[in-house]
Coordinates of all heavy atoms in Angstrom, one line a residue:
M42 N 192.2 -7.3 5.4 CA 193.1 -6.3 6.0 C 194.4 -7.1 6.6 O 194.2 -8.1 7.2 CB 192.4 -5.7 7.2 CG 192.5 -4.3 7.3 SD 192.4 -2.7 6.9 CE 193.0 -2.0 8.4
T43 N 195.5 -6.6 6.2 CA 196.7 -7.3 6.7 C 197.2 -6.6 8.0 O 196.9 -5.5 8.3 CB 197.9 -7.1 5.7 OG1 198.0 -5.8 5.3 CG2 197.6 -8.0 4.4
D44 N 197.8 -7.4 8.8 CA 198.4 -6.9 10.1 C 199.5 -6.0 9.8 O 200.5 -6.4 9.2 CB 198.8 -8.1 10.9 CG 199.2 -7.7 12.3 OD1 199.4 -6.5 12.5 OD2 199.3 -8.6 13.1
A45 N 199.4 -4.7 10.3 CA 200.5 -3.7 10.0 C 201.8 -4.2 10.6 O 202.9 -3.7 10.1 CB 200.1 -2.4 10.6
H46 N 201.8 -5.0 11.6 CA 203.1 -5.4 12.2 C 203.8 -6.5 11.3 O 205.0 -6.6 11.3 CB 202.9 -6.0 13.6 CG 202.3 -4.9 14.5 ND1 203.1 -3.9 15.0 CD2 201.1 -4.8 15.0 CE1 202.3 -3.1 15.7 NE2 201.1 -3.7 15.8
E47 N 203.0 -7.2 10.5 CA 203.5 -8.3 9.7 C 203.8 -7.8 8.3 O 204.8 -8.2 7.7 CB 202.5 -9.4 9.6 CG 202.2 -10.1 10.9 CD 203.3 -10.9 11.4 OE1 204.1 -11.5 10.6 OE2 203.4 -11.0 12.7
A48 N 203.0 -6.9 7.7 CA 203.1 -6.5 6.4 C 204.3 -5.6 6.1 O 204.8 -4.9 7.0 CB 201.8 -5.7 6.0
H49 N 204.8 -5.7 4.9 CA 205.8 -4.8 4.5 C 205.2 -3.4 4.3 O 204.2 -3.3 3.7 CB 206.5 -5.2 3.2 CG 207.4 -6.5 3.4 ND1 208.5 -6.5 4.2 CD2 207.2 -7.7 2.9 CE1 209.0 -7.7 4.2 NE2 208.3 -8.5 3.4
L50 N 205.8 -2.4 4.8 CA 205.3 -1.1 4.7 C 206.2 -0.3 3.8 O 207.4 -0.4 3.7 CB 205.3 -0.4 6.1 CG 204.4 -1.0 7.2 CD1 204.7 -0.3 8.5 CD2 203.0 -0.8 6.8
F51 N 205.5 0.5 3.0 CA 206.2 1.4 2.0 C 205.7 2.8 2.2 O 204.6 3.1 2.5 CB 205.9 0.9 0.6 CG 206.4 -0.5 0.3 CD1 205.6 -1.6 0.5 CD2 207.7 -0.7 -0.1 CE1 206.1 -2.9 0.2 CE2 208.2 -1.9 -0.3 CZ 207.4 -3.0 -0.2
C52 N 206.6 3.7 2.0 CA 206.3 5.2 2.1 C 205.3 5.5 1.0 O 205.5 5.1 -0.2 CB 207.6 6.0 1.8 SG 207.2 7.7 1.7
H53 N 204.2 6.2 1.4 CA 203.2 6.5 0.4 C 203.6 7.5 -0.6 O 202.9 7.6 -1.6 CB 201.9 7.0 1.1 CG 201.1 5.9 1.7 ND1 199.8 5.6 1.3 CD2 201.4 4.9 2.6 CE1 199.3 4.6 1.9 NE2 200.2 4.1 2.7
R54 N 204.7 8.2 -0.4 CA 205.1 9.2 -1.3 C 206.2 8.7 -2.3 O 206.1 8.8 -3.5 CB 205.6 10.4 -0.6 CG 204.6 11.5 -0.3 CD 205.2 12.6 0.4 NE 204.9 13.9 -0.3 CZ 205.7 14.9 -0.2 NH1 206.9 14.9 0.4 NH2 205.4 16.0 -0.8
C55 N 207.2 8.1 -1.7 CA 208.4 7.8 -2.6 C 208.5 6.2 -2.7 O 209.3 5.8 -3.5 CB 209.7 8.4 -2.0 SG 210.3 7.5 -0.5
G56 N 207.7 5.5 -2.0 CA 207.8 4.0 -2.2 C 208.9 3.3 -1.4 O 209.1 2.1 -1.6
A57 N 209.7 4.0 -0.7 CA 210.8 3.4 0.1 C 210.2 2.4 1.1 O 209.2 2.7 1.7 CB 211.6 4.5 0.8
Q58 N 210.9 1.3 1.3 CA 210.4 0.4 2.2 C 210.7 0.9 3.6 O 211.8 1.4 3.9 CB 211.1 -1.0 2.0 CG 210.4 -2.1 2.9 CD 210.8 -3.5 2.5 OE1 211.4 -3.7 1.4 NE2 210.3 -4.4 3.3
L59 N 209.8 0.7 4.5 CA 209.9 1.2 5.9 C 210.1 0.0 6.8 O 209.4 -1.0 6.7 CB 208.6 1.9 6.3 CG 208.2 3.0 5.3 CD1 206.8 3.6 5.7 CD2 209.2 4.2 5.3
A60 N 211.1 0.1 7.7 CA 211.4 -1.0 8.6 C 210.8 -0.7 10.0 O 211.3 0.2 10.7 CB 212.9 -1.1 8.7
P61 N 209.8 -1.5 10.4 CA 209.2 -1.3 11.7 C 210.2 -1.5 12.8 O 211.1 -2.4 12.7 CB 208.1 -2.4 11.8 CG 207.8 -2.7 10.4 CD 209.0 -2.5 9.6
G62 N 210.2 -0.6 13.8 CA 211.1 -0.7 14.9 C 212.4 0.2 14.7 O 213.1 0.4 15.7
E63 N 212.6 0.7 13.5 CA 213.8 1.6 13.3 C 213.5 3.0 13.7 O 214.4 3.8 13.8 CB 214.3 1.5 11.9 CG 214.9 0.1 11.7 CD 215.8 0.0 10.5 OE1 216.0 1.0 9.8 OE2 216.3 -1.1 10.2
G64 N 212.2 3.4 13.8 CA 211.8 4.7 14.3 C 212.2 5.8 13.3 O 212.3 7.0 13.7
N65 N 212.4 5.5 12.0 CA 212.7 6.6 11.1 C 211.6 6.9 10.1 O 211.9 7.4 9.0 CB 214.0 6.3 10.4 CG 214.0 4.9 9.7 OD1 212.9 4.3 9.7 ND2 215.0 4.5 9.1
W66 N 210.4 6.5 10.4 CA 209.3 6.8 9.6 C 208.1 7.2 10.4 O 208.1 7.0 11.6 CB 209.0 5.7 8.6 CG 208.8 4.3 9.3 CD1 209.8 3.5 9.7 CD2 207.5 3.7 9.6 NE1 209.2 2.4 10.3 CE2 207.8 2.5 10.2 CE3 206.2 4.1 9.5 CZ2 206.8 1.6 10.7 CZ3 205.2 3.2 9.9 CH2 205.5 2.0 10.6
Y67 N 207.0 7.6 9.8 CA 205.9 8.2 10.5 C 204.6 7.6 10.0 O 204.4 7.3 8.8 CB 205.8 9.7 10.3 CG 207.0 10.4 10.9 CD1 208.2 10.4 10.2 CD2 206.9 11.1 12.1 CE1 209.3 11.0 10.8 CE2 208.0 11.7 12.6 CZ 209.2 11.7 12.0 OH 210.3 12.3 12.6
V68 N 203.6 7.5 11.0 CA 202.2 7.2 10.6 C 201.5 8.5 10.7 O 201.5 9.2 11.7 CB 201.6 6.1 11.6 CG1 200.2 5.9 11.3 CG2 202.4 4.9 11.6
V69 N 200.8 8.8 9.6 CA 200.0 10.0 9.5 C 198.5 9.7 9.4 O 198.1 9.0 8.5 CB 200.4 10.9 8.3 CG1 199.6 12.2 8.2 CG2 201.9 11.2 8.4
R70 N 197.7 10.1 10.4 CA 196.3 9.8 10.4 C 195.6 11.1 10.0 O 195.8 12.2 10.6 CB 195.8 9.3 11.7 CG 196.4 8.0 12.1 CD 195.3 7.1 12.7 NE 195.8 5.7 12.8 CZ 196.4 5.2 13.8 NH1 196.6 5.9 14.9 NH2 196.8 3.9 13.7
I71 N 194.7 11.0 9.0 CA 194.0 12.2 8.5 C 192.5 11.9 8.7 O 192.0 10.8 8.3 CB 194.3 12.5 7.1 CG1 195.8 12.8 6.9 CG2 193.4 13.6 6.5 CD1 196.2 12.9 5.4
E72 N 191.8 12.8 9.4 CA 190.4 12.7 9.5 C 189.8 13.9 8.9 O 190.1 15.0 9.2 CB 189.9 12.6 11.0 CG 190.1 11.3 11.6 CD 189.4 11.2 13.0 OE1 189.9 11.9 13.9 OE2 188.4 10.5 13.1
A73 N 188.8 13.7 8.0 CA 188.2 14.8 7.3 C 186.7 14.7 7.4 O 186.1 13.7 7.2 CB 188.6 14.7 5.8
F74 N 186.1 15.8 7.9 CA 184.7 15.9 8.1 C 184.1 17.0 7.2 O 184.7 18.0 6.9 CB 184.4 16.4 9.5 CG 184.9 15.5 10.6 CD1 186.2 15.7 11.1 CD2 184.1 14.6 11.2 CE1 186.7 14.9 12.1 CE2 184.5 13.8 12.2 CZ 185.8 13.9 12.6
A75 N 182.9 16.7 6.7 CA 182.2 17.7 6.0 C 181.8 18.8 7.0 O 181.7 18.5 8.2 CB 180.9 17.2 5.3
D76 N 181.6 20.0 6.5 CA 181.1 21.1 7.3 C 180.0 20.7 8.2 O 178.9 20.3 7.7 CB 180.7 22.3 6.4 CG 180.2 23.5 7.2 OD1 180.2 23.4 8.4 OD2 179.7 24.4 6.5
P77 N 180.2 20.7 9.6 CA 179.1 20.2 10.5 C 178.1 21.2 10.8 O 177.1 20.9 11.5 CB 179.9 19.8 11.7 CG 181.1 20.7 11.7 CD 181.4 21.0 10.3
T78 N 178.2 22.4 10.3 CA 177.3 23.5 10.6 C 176.0 23.2 9.9 O 176.0 23.0 8.7 CB 177.8 24.9 10.1 OG1 179.2 25.0 10.5 CG2 177.1 26.0 10.7
P79 N 174.8 23.3 10.6 CA 173.6 23.1 9.9 C 173.3 24.2 8.9 O 173.7 25.3 9.2 CB 172.5 23.0 11.0 CG 173.2 23.5 12.3 CD 174.7 23.5 12.0
P80 N 172.7 23.9 7.8 CA 172.4 25.0 6.8 C 171.5 26.0 7.4 O 170.6 25.7 8.2 CB 171.8 24.3 5.6 CG 171.4 22.9 6.1 CD 172.2 22.6 7.4
P81 N 171.7 27.3 7.1 CA 170.9 28.4 7.7 C 169.5 28.2 7.1 O 169.2 27.8 6.0 CB 171.5 29.7 7.1 CG 172.3 29.2 5.9 CD 172.7 27.8 6.1
L82 N 168.5 28.5 8.0 CA 167.1 28.5 7.6 C 166.7 29.8 7.0 O 166.9 30.9 7.7 CB 166.2 28.1 8.8 CG 166.4 26.7 9.3 CD1 165.6 26.5 10.6 CD2 165.9 25.7 8.3
E83 N 166.2 29.8 5.8 CA 165.9 31.1 5.1 C 164.5 31.5 5.6 O 163.5 30.7 5.6 CB 165.9 30.9 3.6 CG 167.2 30.4 3.0 CD 168.2 31.5 3.1 OE1 167.8 32.7 3.2 OE2 169.4 31.2 3.0
G84 N 164.4 32.8 6.0 CA 163.1 33.4 6.3 C 162.4 32.7 7.4 O 163.0 32.1 8.3
D85 N 161.0 32.6 7.3 CA 160.2 32.0 8.3 C 159.8 30.6 7.9 O 159.0 29.9 8.6 CB 159.0 32.8 8.7 CG 158.1 33.1 7.5 OD1 158.4 32.5 6.5 OD2 157.2 33.9 7.6
G86 N 160.3 30.1 6.8 CA 160.0 28.8 6.3 C 158.9 28.7 5.3 O 158.7 27.7 4.7
D87 N 158.1 29.7 5.2 CA 156.9 29.7 4.4 C 157.3 29.6 2.9 O 156.7 28.8 2.1 CB 156.0 31.0 4.5 CG 155.2 30.9 5.8 OD1 155.1 29.8 6.4 OD2 154.7 32.0 6.2
A88 N 158.4 30.3 2.5 CA 158.8 30.3 1.1 C 159.6 29.1 0.7 O 159.8 28.8 -0.4 CB 159.6 31.6 0.9
F89 N 159.9 28.3 1.7 CA 160.8 27.1 1.5 C 160.0 25.9 1.7 O 159.6 25.6 2.9 CB 162.0 27.3 2.4 CG 163.1 26.2 2.1 CD1 163.8 26.3 0.9 CD2 163.3 25.2 3.0 CE1 164.8 25.3 0.7 CE2 164.2 24.2 2.8 CZ 165.0 24.3 1.6
D90 N 159.8 25.1 0.7 CA 159.1 23.8 0.9 C 160.0 22.7 1.4 O 160.8 22.2 0.6 CB 158.4 23.4 -0.4 CG 157.5 22.3 -0.3 OD1 157.7 21.4 0.7 OD2 156.5 22.2 -1.0
V91 N 160.0 22.5 2.7 CA 160.9 21.5 3.2 C 160.7 20.1 2.7 O 161.6 19.4 2.3 CB 160.8 21.5 4.8 CG1 161.7 20.4 5.4 CG2 161.2 22.8 5.4
G92 N 159.4 19.7 2.5 CA 159.1 18.4 2.0 C 159.6 18.2 0.6 O 160.2 17.1 0.3
E93 N 159.5 19.2 -0.2 CA 160.0 19.1 -1.6 C 161.6 19.0 -1.6 O 162.1 18.3 -2.3 CB 159.6 20.4 -2.3 CG 159.6 20.2 -3.8 CD 158.9 21.5 -4.4 OE1 157.6 21.5 -4.5 OE2 159.6 22.4 -4.8
E94 N 162.2 19.8 -0.7 CA 163.7 19.7 -0.6 C 164.1 18.3 -0.2 O 165.1 17.8 -0.7 CB 164.2 20.8 0.4 CG 165.6 20.8 0.6 CD 166.5 21.2 -0.6 OE1 165.9 21.6 -1.6 OE2 167.7 21.1 -0.5
I95 N 163.4 17.8 0.8 CA 163.8 16.4 1.3 C 163.6 15.4 0.2 O 164.4 14.5 0.0 CB 162.9 16.0 2.6 CG1 163.5 16.9 3.7 CG2 163.1 14.5 2.9 CD1 162.6 16.8 5.0
D96 N 162.5 15.5 -0.6 CA 162.3 14.6 -1.7 C 163.4 14.7 -2.7 O 163.9 13.7 -3.2 CB 160.9 15.0 -2.4 CG 159.7 14.5 -1.6 OD1 159.9 13.7 -0.7 OD2 158.6 14.9 -2.0
R97 N 163.8 15.9 -2.9 CA 164.9 16.1 -3.9 C 166.2 15.5 -3.4 O 166.9 14.8 -4.2 CB 165.2 17.6 -4.1 CG 166.0 18.0 -5.3 CD 166.3 19.5 -5.4 NE 167.1 19.9 -4.2 CZ 168.4 19.7 -4.1 NH1 169.1 19.1 -5.0 NH2 169.1 20.2 -3.0
L98 N 166.5 15.6 -2.1 CA 167.7 15.1 -1.5 C 167.7 13.5 -1.6 O 168.7 12.9 -1.9 CB 167.9 15.5 -0.1 CG 168.4 17.0 0.0 CD1 168.4 17.4 1.5 CD2 169.8 17.2 -0.6
I99 N 166.5 13.0 -1.2 CA 166.4 11.5 -1.2 C 166.6 11.0 -2.7 O 167.2 10.0 -2.9 CB 165.0 11.1 -0.7 CG1 165.0 11.4 0.9 CG2 164.7 9.6 -1.0 CD1 163.6 11.2 1.5
E100 N 166.0 11.7 -3.6 CA 166.1 11.3 -5.0 C 167.6 11.3 -5.4 O 168.1 10.4 -6.1 CB 165.3 12.2 -5.9 CG 165.3 11.8 -7.4 CD 164.8 10.3 -7.6 OE1 163.9 9.9 -6.9 OE2 165.5 9.7 -8.4
E101 N 168.3 12.3 -5.0 CA 169.7 12.5 -5.3 C 170.5 11.4 -4.7 O 171.4 10.8 -5.3 CB 170.2 13.8 -4.7 CG 171.2 14.5 -5.6 CD 171.4 16.0 -5.1 OE1 172.1 16.2 -4.1 OE2 170.8 16.9 -5.7
M102 N 170.2 11.0 -3.4 CA 171.0 10.0 -2.7 C 170.7 8.6 -3.2 O 171.5 7.7 -3.0 CB 170.7 10.1 -1.2 CG 171.3 11.3 -0.6 SD 171.2 11.3 1.2 CE 169.4 11.4 1.5
R103 N 169.5 8.4 -3.9 CA 169.1 7.1 -4.4 C 170.2 6.6 -5.3 O 170.4 5.4 -5.5 CB 167.8 7.2 -5.1 CG 166.9 6.0 -4.9 CD 165.8 6.0 -5.9 NE 164.8 7.1 -5.6 CZ 163.8 7.1 -4.7 NH1 163.7 6.0 -4.0 NH2 163.0 8.1 -4.5
H104 N 170.9 7.5 -6.0 CA 171.8 7.1 -7.0 C 173.2 6.8 -6.4 O 174.1 6.5 -7.2 CB 171.9 8.2 -8.1 CG 170.6 8.5 -8.7 ND1 169.9 7.5 -9.4 CD2 169.8 9.6 -8.7 CE1 168.7 8.0 -9.8 NE2 168.7 9.3 -9.4
M105 N 173.4 7.0 -5.1 CA 174.7 6.9 -4.5 C 174.7 5.6 -3.6 O 173.7 5.3 -3.0 CB 175.1 8.1 -3.7 CG 175.3 9.3 -4.5 SD 175.9 10.6 -3.5 CE 174.6 11.7 -3.3
S106 N 175.8 5.0 -3.6 CA 176.0 3.8 -2.7 C 176.2 4.4 -1.2 O 176.5 5.5 -1.0 CB 177.1 3.0 -3.1 OG 178.3 3.6 -2.8
E107 N 176.0 3.5 -0.3 CA 176.2 3.9 1.1 C 177.7 4.4 1.3 O 177.9 5.3 2.0 CB 176.0 2.7 2.0 CG 175.5 3.0 3.4 CD 175.0 1.8 4.1 OE1 174.0 1.2 3.7 OE2 175.6 1.5 5.1
Q108 N 178.6 3.7 0.6 CA 180.0 4.1 0.8 C 180.2 5.5 0.2 O 180.9 6.3 0.8 CB 180.9 3.1 0.0 CG 182.4 3.3 0.3 CD 182.7 3.3 1.8 OE1 182.4 2.3 2.5 NE2 183.4 4.2 2.3
E109 N 179.6 5.8 -0.9 CA 179.7 7.1 -1.5 C 179.2 8.2 -0.5 O 179.8 9.3 -0.4 CB 179.0 7.2 -2.8 CG 179.8 6.6 -4.0 CD 179.0 6.6 -5.3 OE1 177.8 6.3 -5.3 OE2 179.6 6.9 -6.3
L110 N 178.0 7.9 0.1 CA 177.5 8.8 1.0 C 178.4 9.0 2.2 O 178.6 10.2 2.6 CB 176.1 8.3 1.5 CG 175.0 8.3 0.5 CD1 173.8 7.6 1.0 CD2 174.6 9.7 0.1
M111 N 178.9 8.0 2.8 CA 179.9 8.1 3.9 C 181.1 8.9 3.5 O 181.5 9.8 4.2 CB 180.4 6.7 4.3 CG 179.4 6.0 5.2 SD 179.1 6.9 6.7 CE 180.7 6.8 7.5
D112 N 181.6 8.7 2.3 CA 182.8 9.4 1.8 C 182.5 10.9 1.7 O 183.4 11.7 1.8 CB 183.2 8.8 0.4 CG 183.9 7.5 0.6 OD1 184.1 7.0 1.7 OD2 184.2 6.9 -0.5
Q113 N 181.3 11.2 1.5 CA 181.0 12.7 1.3 C 181.0 13.4 2.7 O 181.3 14.6 2.7 CB 179.6 12.8 0.8 CG 179.5 12.5 -0.7 CD 178.3 13.2 -1.4 OE1 177.4 13.7 -0.7 NE2 178.3 13.2 -2.7
V114 N 180.8 12.7 3.8 CA 180.8 13.4 5.1 C 182.0 13.1 5.9 O 182.3 13.9 6.8 CB 179.5 13.1 5.8 CG1 178.3 13.7 5.2 CG2 179.3 11.6 6.1
Y115 N 182.6 11.9 5.7 CA 183.7 11.6 6.6 C 184.7 10.7 5.9 O 184.3 9.7 5.3 CB 183.1 10.8 7.8 CG 184.1 10.3 8.8 CD1 184.8 11.2 9.6 CD2 184.4 9.0 8.9 CE1 185.7 10.8 10.5 CE2 185.3 8.5 9.9 CZ 186.0 9.4 10.6 OH 186.9 9.0 11.5
R116 N 185.9 11.0 6.0 CA 187.0 10.2 5.5 C 188.1 10.0 6.5 O 188.4 11.0 7.2 CB 187.6 10.8 4.2 CG 186.8 10.8 3.0 CD 186.4 9.4 2.4 NE 187.6 8.7 2.0 CZ 188.0 8.6 0.7 NH1 187.5 9.4 -0.2 NH2 189.1 7.9 0.4
R117 N 188.6 8.8 6.6 CA 189.8 8.7 7.5 C 190.8 7.9 6.7 O 190.6 6.9 6.2 CB 189.4 7.9 8.8 CG 190.6 8.0 9.8 CD 190.1 7.6 11.2 NE 189.9 6.2 11.2 CZ 189.4 5.6 12.3 NH1 189.2 6.2 13.4 NH2 189.2 4.3 12.3
L118 N 192.0 8.5 6.7 CA 193.1 7.9 5.9 C 194.3 7.7 6.9 O 194.5 8.4 7.8 CB 193.6 8.9 4.8 CG 192.6 9.4 3.8 CD1 193.2 10.5 3.0 CD2 192.0 8.3 3.0
T119 N 195.0 6.6 6.6 CA 196.3 6.4 7.3 C 197.4 6.3 6.3 O 197.3 5.5 5.4 CB 196.2 5.1 8.2 OG1 195.1 5.2 9.1 CG2 197.5 4.9 9.0
L120 N 198.4 7.1 6.4 CA 199.5 7.1 5.5 C 200.7 6.8 6.3 O 200.9 7.1 7.5 CB 199.7 8.5 4.9 CG 198.6 9.2 4.2 CD1 199.0 10.6 3.7 CD2 198.2 8.4 2.9
H121 N 201.6 6.1 5.6 CA 203.0 5.9 6.1 C 204.0 6.7 5.3 O 203.9 6.6 4.1 CB 203.3 4.4 6.1 CG 202.3 3.5 6.8 ND1 201.3 2.9 6.2 CD2 202.2 3.3 8.2 CE1 200.6 2.2 7.1 NE2 201.1 2.5 8.3
L122 N 204.8 7.5 6.0 CA 205.8 8.3 5.3 C 207.2 8.0 5.9 O 207.3 8.0 7.1 CB 205.4 9.8 5.5 CG 204.1 10.2 4.8 CD1 203.9 11.7 5.1 CD2 204.1 10.0 3.3
C123 N 208.1 7.9 5.0 CA 209.5 7.9 5.5 C 209.9 9.2 6.1 O 209.2 10.2 5.8 CB 210.5 7.5 4.3 SG 210.7 8.7 3.1
G124 N 210.9 9.3 6.9 CA 211.3 10.5 7.6 C 211.5 11.7 6.6 O 211.1 12.8 6.9
R125 N 212.1 11.4 5.5 CA 212.4 12.5 4.5 C 211.1 13.1 4.0 O 210.9 14.3 3.9 CB 213.3 12.0 3.4 CG 213.9 13.0 2.6 CD 215.1 12.5 1.8 NE 214.8 11.2 1.2 CZ 214.5 11.0 -0.1 NH1 214.5 12.0 -0.9 NH2 214.2 9.8 -0.6
C126 N 210.2 12.2 3.5 CA 208.9 12.6 3.0 C 208.1 13.3 4.0 O 207.4 14.3 3.7 CB 208.2 11.4 2.3 SG 208.9 10.8 0.8
Y127 N 208.1 12.7 5.2 CA 207.3 13.3 6.3 C 207.7 14.8 6.5 O 206.9 15.7 6.6 CB 207.5 12.5 7.6 CG 206.9 13.2 8.8 CD1 205.5 13.2 9.0 CD2 207.7 13.9 9.7 CE1 205.0 13.9 10.1 CE2 207.2 14.6 10.8 CZ 205.8 14.5 11.0 OH 205.3 15.2 12.1
R128 N 209.0 15.0 6.6 CA 209.5 16.4 6.9 C 209.1 17.3 5.7 O 208.8 18.5 6.0 CB 211.0 16.4 7.1 CG 211.4 15.9 8.5 CD 212.8 16.0 8.8 NE 213.6 15.0 8.1 CZ 213.8 13.7 8.5 NH1 213.3 13.3 9.7 NH2 214.5 12.9 7.8
D129 N 209.1 16.8 4.5 CA 208.6 17.7 3.4 C 207.2 17.9 3.5 O 206.7 19.1 3.4 CB 208.9 16.9 2.0 CG 210.3 17.1 1.6 OD1 211.1 17.8 2.2 OD2 210.6 16.4 0.6
W130 N 206.4 16.9 3.8 CA 204.9 16.9 3.8 C 204.4 17.8 4.9 O 203.5 18.6 4.7 CB 204.4 15.5 3.9 CG 202.9 15.5 4.0 CD1 202.0 15.6 3.0 CD2 202.2 15.4 5.2 NE1 200.7 15.6 3.5 CE2 200.8 15.4 4.9 CE3 202.5 15.2 6.6 CZ2 199.8 15.4 5.9 CZ3 201.5 15.2 7.5 CH2 200.2 15.2 7.2
I131 N 205.0 17.6 6.1 CA 204.4 18.3 7.3 C 204.5 19.8 7.2 O 203.7 20.6 7.8 CB 205.0 17.8 8.6 CG1 204.1 18.1 9.8 CG2 206.4 18.3 8.8 CD1 202.8 17.3 9.8
E132 N 205.5 20.3 6.4 CA 205.6 21.7 6.2 C 204.5 22.3 5.3 O 204.2 23.5 5.4 CB 207.0 22.1 5.5 CG 208.2 21.7 6.4 CD 208.2 22.4 7.7 OE1 207.7 23.6 7.8 OE2 208.6 21.8 8.7
S133 N 203.9 21.4 4.5 CA 202.9 21.9 3.6 C 201.8 20.8 3.3 O 201.7 20.3 2.2 CB 203.5 22.3 2.3 OG 202.6 22.7 1.3
P134 N 201.1 20.4 4.4 CA 200.2 19.2 4.3 C 199.1 19.4 3.2 O 198.6 18.4 2.7 CB 199.6 19.0 5.7 CG 200.2 20.1 6.5 CD 201.1 21.0 5.7
A135 N 198.7 20.6 3.0 CA 197.6 20.9 2.1 C 198.2 21.2 0.7 O 197.4 21.5 -0.2 CB 196.7 22.0 2.6
G136 N 199.4 21.2 0.5 CA 200.1 21.6 -0.7 C 200.0 20.5 -1.8 O 199.6 19.4 -1.6
Ligands
LIG234 ZN1 209.3 8.6 1.3

């Protein structure tokens, strides 16, 4: 990891070089979480074999790396945007 104060920074959208200290660009931090709501329990549990479901999930996860598993539940991104791109982006961040 390079030190943000030393490294040259570039706008993630247009690639313009950003000059630390000039105050004309933005750091955008994005945190994304998977739905934290526990799944609803169907019926009284008799019809649903929990052990079988857990076996299935473990088998599914065996094929994924730890990083992939983390990425599924939590992502944190840091973007640098020049003033112009920031003003465009913030109006429609999910666009
Ligand atoms: Zn830009």
Side-chain angles (χ1 to χ4, degrees):
M42 230 41 192
T43 51
D44 185 346
H46 298 287
E47 299 288 329
H49 289 295
L50 295 172
F51 296 93
C52 173
H53 277 243
R54 271 182 125 206
C55 73
Q58 191 164 352
L59 308 171
E63 290 194 4
N65 56 1
W66 54 278
Y67 294 78
V68 178
V69 178
R70 293 223 167 92
I71 297 170
E72 280 191 292
F74 300 85
D76 177 3
T78 316
L82 293 172
E83 300 289 340
D85 58 11
D87 284 346
F89 185 72
D90 188 332
V91 175
E93 204 169 276
E94 176 67 5
I95 288 170
D96 285 348
R97 194 185 63 78
L98 288 172
I99 288 172
E100 185 53 41
E101 215 167 79
M102 290 190 292
R103 214 192 295 276
H104 304 296
M105 294 189 252
S106 71
E107 207 168 299
Q108 188 58 50
E109 281 176 316
L110 290 172
M111 279 300 294
D112 286 352
Q113 285 202 350
V114 292
Y115 178 70
R116 290 294 298 265
R117 191 165 70 180
L118 306 172
T119 302
L120 302 176
H121 302 98
L122 295 177
C123 71
R125 194 162 46 102
C126 289
Y127 171 77
R128 282 184 289 276
D129 281 353
W130 173 82
I131 199 67
E132 294 304 325
S133 176

